[in-house]
Amino acid sequence: MIKIANYIDGDLVPPKSSLYMDDVNPATAEVFAQIPLSNQDDLKAAINSANKAFPMWSKMSVEKRANYLMKISSLIKENLDQLAQAESQDTGKPLQLARVVDIPRASANMEFFAHAITQFSSESHSGKNSINYTLRRPVGLVACISPWNLPLYLFTWKIAPALAAGNCVIAKPSEITPYTAYLFSRLCIEAGLPKGVLNILHGQGPEIGNTIVESENIKAVSFTGGTTTGRRIAEISAPLFRKVSLELGGKNPALVFADCDLDKAVEGLVRASFTNQGEICLCASRIYIEKSIYEQFKGKFIDKVKALKVGAPDEQSSKMGALVSAQHLDKVRRYIAIAKEEGGRLLCGEEPIELEEKYKHGYFLRPHVFENLPNTCRTNQEEIFGPLVSLNVFQGEEEALLLANDSEYGLASSIWTNDLSKANRIADQIETGIVWINCWMNRDLRTPFGGMKNSGLGREGGLEALRFFTEPKNVCIEF
Ligand code: NAD
């Protein structure tokens, strides 16, 4: 049994409470690790250590800080196999996906921000008899809190810019998938990261997560997770006038026009709907198809979805693994029942899954596709975050836009058409922070990343992240 440890003051340490919770492999439903249940005493030790480290880390040259990040990036690459295995074991996702997406991206995050900080510059404004320049200083002690769907990928996406900008970090991975964060802390030790610069506390969100957020020592919170949790973090942070970056839930529309490259749209939307079992905040969940090609799209889409292999995460041919937990599987199943009650017609999803004995108790679910649902129903309005999508009809650009924008969320969208003028008109008016035209999840780490409406506040990525993790101070000289 693996015993996960906190990473405080440069060491791997047990929780002060001596209490642990189970970490379950979702593909087998077996417990494989013990997760520390941290409390305010662990946080106190982490804060003391981070405060001691801050003067040294914040004043260190950017080149030196960048070197530490580069070293960690290289170690992630060197340990790709072990990290990918761990990620697949903890999340249920296909090993192949962890090998080609999750872990390479975690390494790329560290490398990207190592480079970015050496290129980061601040503004200057020259006037008639004065010049102003802006200093960008690290904020201080910051919290990075991440979810379970892309564990190391999102954990490093926050930690890398925070450290690069000279902050000391208290980080908390999801208690559902903490394993790679623990392995990451071992790599930080191997890289010689100075003690206290990064502290990783494990445990339950409403306990240690909440305790971190309530601490007045924390000067900024970068959070990715559910909208309800994000709202609570915003409420606690508002009276402290503390910076928050909130990357929250989504209910992402895809608009498929009659003039699209149909095969490309079908291929792209199968990926957009069911990659990582549909457990990506950017996944398409409401697909709107222009009436004249609806039946044609539907036929091709369903054929491809039925051919997706759901199975053992370590089998190369598996395109989908297990959902992350028994609770999450229950949640998605509840939505399948709701979709049926709402009049949805199930087009595929209930065919049996062939699994060997070892995986018989795993949380596997086939991709479900519904049609015939009104836009206002719960299935089309609420975030499900699993392998369930709806196919819907529209007529003309105006209706497509109305349906897409009829949502409390505004994270990502995709538009499928060969008419670039139309695509640009829609991109301008659609209420999402990210718009993909004829593609999905094509990511350039320099671009602003985040959502509108209930999908969040602020943007991550590139210079936006470095701006978030620094405090601007204007200096004016008169001459
Ligand atoms: P969650 O909100 O339950 O948990 C996210 C993190 O917050 C976890 O580490 C958890 O332990 C912690 N947490 C929970 N309650 C807390 C509290 N009261 N105070 C402080 N921390 C707390 O979300 P989840 O179920 O882990 O993740 C799924 C959600 O994340 C979905 O809504 C998904 O859309 C969203 N998500 C968004 C993005 C994005 O970039 N916008 C990316 C991935 C996932």
Side-chain angles (χ1 to χ4, degrees):
M1 181 74 58
I2 297 156
K3 207 156 209 182
I4 288 173
N6 285 332
Y7 173 48
I8 301 176
D9 201 30
D11 278 330
L12 296 174
V13 291
K16 304 267 192 218
S17 67
S18 303
L19 298 173
Y20 289 81
M21 65 185 278
D22 291 341
D23 192 359
V24 174
N25 176 342
T28 59
E30 282 165 7
V31 175
F32 72 95
Q34 293 290 302
I35 311 165
L37 288 175
S38 309
N39 64 23
Q40 57 201 13
D41 295 330
D42 303 283
L43 177 62
K44 208 167 151 194
I47 287 175
N48 283 342
S49 172
N51 279 337
K52 265 194 240 143
F54 182 69
M56 169 277 300
W57 184 249
S58 57
K59 290 196 185 92
M60 185 182 279
S61 71
V62 290
E63 289 77 14
K64 265 190 155 178
R65 282 205 300 265
N67 282 342
Y68 282 112
L69 269 64
M70 287 301 287
K71 181 89 212 290
I72 298 169
S73 168
S74 303
L75 286 169
I76 295 175
K77 274 189 210 138
E78 282 167 33
N79 290 276
L80 172 81
D81 284 337
Q82 187 199 13
L83 289 165
Q85 281 279 358
E87 205 69 295
S88 171
Q89 184 177 12
D90 215 1
T91 58
K93 72 176 69 196
L95 177 59
Q96 184 58 10
L97 188 70
R99 283 187 62 84
V100 301
V101 177
D102 293 75
I103 307 306
R105 174 59 193 276
S107 170
N109 289 339
M110 302 306 291
E111 188 176 335
F112 175 84
F113 282 107
H115 292 309
I117 196 63
T118 65
Q119 307 300 313
F120 190 43
S121 58
S122 58
E123 312 88 81
S124 92
H125 303 83
S126 61
K128 204 169 148 216
N129 62 348
S130 64
I131 185 157
N132 291 267
Y133 65 90
T134 308
L135 293 172
R136 286 200 166 262
R137 294 292 182 229
V139 176
L141 186 46
V142 302
C144 296
I145 302 178
S146 57
W148 50 257
N149 62 323
L150 300 166
L152 193 61
Y153 172 135
L154 290 174
F155 199 53
T156 49
W157 181 233
K158 298 182 173 304
I159 290 172
L163 290 180
N167 301 282
C168 288
V169 177
I170 310 280
K172 197 201 92 61
S174 169
E175 62 273 37
I176 301 170
T177 55
Y179 189 19
T180 48
Y182 165 61
L183 297 177
F184 178 77
S185 56
R186 297 204 327 206
L187 298 183
C188 291
I189 294 172
E190 197 179 330
L193 189 69
K195 62 181 188 178
V197 163
L198 170 65
N199 300 273
I200 300 178
L201 299 181
H202 293 273
Q204 309 247 39
E207 308 299 329
I208 186 62
N210 191 61
T211 307
I212 294 170
V213 173
E214 284 188 337
S215 167
E216 295 193 10
N217 290 285
I218 303 289
K219 302 301 175 207
V221 178
S222 172
F223 169 79
T224 299
T227 296
T228 307
T229 316
R231 187 168 283 125
R232 164 135 186 89
I233 291 172
E235 279 165 8
I236 296 171
S237 298
L240 299 174
F241 303 113
R242 163 208 279 165
K243 278 186 161 189
V244 287
S245 166
L246 303 171
E247 301 299 333
L248 311 178
K251 187 74 189 175
N252 307 310
L255 305 180
V256 186
F257 286 89
D259 56 10
C260 71
D261 174 337
L262 190 60
D263 288 334
K264 188 174 176 187
V266 168
E267 182 90 44
L269 285 171
V270 170
R271 248 187 84 230
S273 304
F274 300 117
T275 299
N276 206 43
Q277 301 73 243
E279 297 165 329
I280 300 184
C281 55
L282 305 167
C283 276
S285 52
R286 305 178 278 144
I287 304 179
Y288 299 97
I289 304 131
E290 197 154 19
K291 194 168 183 194
S292 59
I293 58 157
Y294 182 81
E295 290 302 326
Q296 213 188 343
F297 177 93
K298 179 169 99 179
K300 285 179 180 255
F301 186 78
I302 297 300
D303 284 351
K304 280 216 179 291
V305 174
K306 281 186 176 164
L308 284 177
K309 182 166 178 217
V310 181
D314 53 1
E315 247 178 58
Q316 183 87 13
S317 56
S318 295
K319 295 288 179 233
M320 291 171 62
L323 299 202
V324 77
S325 65
Q327 290 84 337
H328 193 55
L329 177 63
D330 280 350
K331 174 187 160 180
V332 180
R333 282 197 175 132
R334 272 200 307 280
Y335 274 100
I336 293 170
I338 289 168
K340 288 177 182 169
E341 281 160 25
E342 290 176 328
R345 192 178 310 125
L346 185 62
L347 299 173
C348 65
E350 289 188 339
E351 307 78 10
I353 305 173
E354 306 281 317
L355 289 165
E356 50 183 292
E357 194 51 40
K358 161 175 170 196
Y359 296 114
K360 281 274 176 328
H361 301 289
Y363 314 131
F364 295 88
L365 187 69
R366 269 200 189 286
H368 282 61
V369 182
F370 280 93
E371 67 173 355
N372 199 38
L373 284 160
N375 212 45
T376 49
C377 74
R378 290 184 63 190
T379 316
N380 269 334
Q381 291 292 329
E382 297 177 14
E383 184 185 48
I384 300 170
F385 212 52
L388 191 169
V389 298
S390 66
L391 303 186
N392 310 274
V393 188
F394 72 85
Q395 291 198 70
E397 198 177 318
E398 204 175 314
E399 192 187 14
L401 199 55
L402 270 176
L403 292 167
N405 286 344
D406 174 24
S407 170
E408 68 176 79
Y409 293 106
L411 186 55
S413 58
S414 62
I415 304 166
W416 302 83
T417 172
N418 277 329
D419 179 345
L420 211 50
S421 303
K422 177 163 65 186
N424 284 325
R425 274 196 306 275
I426 295 175
D428 184 47
Q429 291 181 67
I430 202 160
E431 293 164 356
T432 60
I434 300 154
V435 185
W436 279 296
I437 298 174
N438 295 325
C439 60
W440 175 75
M441 217 168 154
N442 180 332
R443 293 277 297 117
D444 180 328
L445 303 190
R446 294 169 301 179
T447 58
F449 178 92
M452 301 166 68
K453 302 181 345 199
N454 286 356
S455 290
L457 187 67
R459 294 293 181 271
E460 297 187 321
L463 299 182
E464 299 280 347
L466 294 177
R467 288 197 188 107
F468 175 75
F469 283 117
T470 51
E471 187 76 70
K473 184 194 285 178
N474 189 67
V475 182
C476 176
I477 312 169
E478 191 176 294
F479 45 78

